């Protein structure tokens, strides 16, 4: 199972149909909605920053998740501030 998941993850991040920016925003949105705000969310935020996405754009993406649930967005923003430091 680990090999399968690793191959899918590698494939999804290597395809060029979505930009790295778009993939990062989708991943962070999924993290907030699924409440996986630990190491997975932190890694997606770091990847976004490494790709040059400004912190304010990352904040805006997480803020937008409020459309999908206020509590999740608040938790996401709190975790985001820890990562951005």
């Amino acid at each position: 199972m680990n090999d399968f998941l690793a191959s899918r993850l590698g494939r999804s991040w290597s395809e060029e149909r979505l930009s790295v920016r778009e993939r990062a925003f989708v991943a962070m949105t999924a993290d907030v909605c699924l409440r996986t705000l630990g190491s997975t969310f932190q890694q997606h935020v770091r990847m976004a920053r490494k790709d040059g996405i400004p912190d304010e754009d990352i904040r805006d993406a997480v803020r937008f998740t409020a459309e999908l649930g206020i509590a999740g967005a608040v938790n996401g923003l709190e975790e985001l501030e820890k990562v951005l430091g």
Side-chain angles (χ1 to χ4, degrees):
M1 184 62 146
N2 286 340
D3 290 339
F4 173 77
L5 291 174
S7 72
R8 296 301 102 197
L9 183 61
R11 181 175 168 231
S12 66
W13 282 94
S14 65
E15 291 195 14
E16 297 181 8
R17 288 184 258 179
L18 295 176
S19 68
V20 173
R21 178 186 180 93
E22 292 166 329
R23 282 186 288 236
F25 286 166
V26 168
M28 288 185 290
T29 298
D31 290 335
V32 171
C33 291
L34 297 173
R35 299 180 189 240
T36 54
L37 296 173
S39 61
T40 302
F41 178 72
Q42 294 166 7
Q43 183 62 28
H44 291 145
V45 172
R46 285 188 202 103
M47 290 171 71
R49 292 178 97 189
K50 183 179 176 187
D51 194 56
I53 300 172
D55 290 352
E56 196 56 36
D57 290 359
I58 296 170
R59 281 187 188 96
D60 287 343
V62 175
R63 280 186 198 114
F64 184 76
T65 63
E67 295 288 330
L68 305 168
I70 297 291
V74 169
N75 292 335
L77 287 167
E78 289 173 352
E79 188 61 34
L80 178 62
E81 291 309 317
K82 292 177 190 174
V83 178
L84 298 179

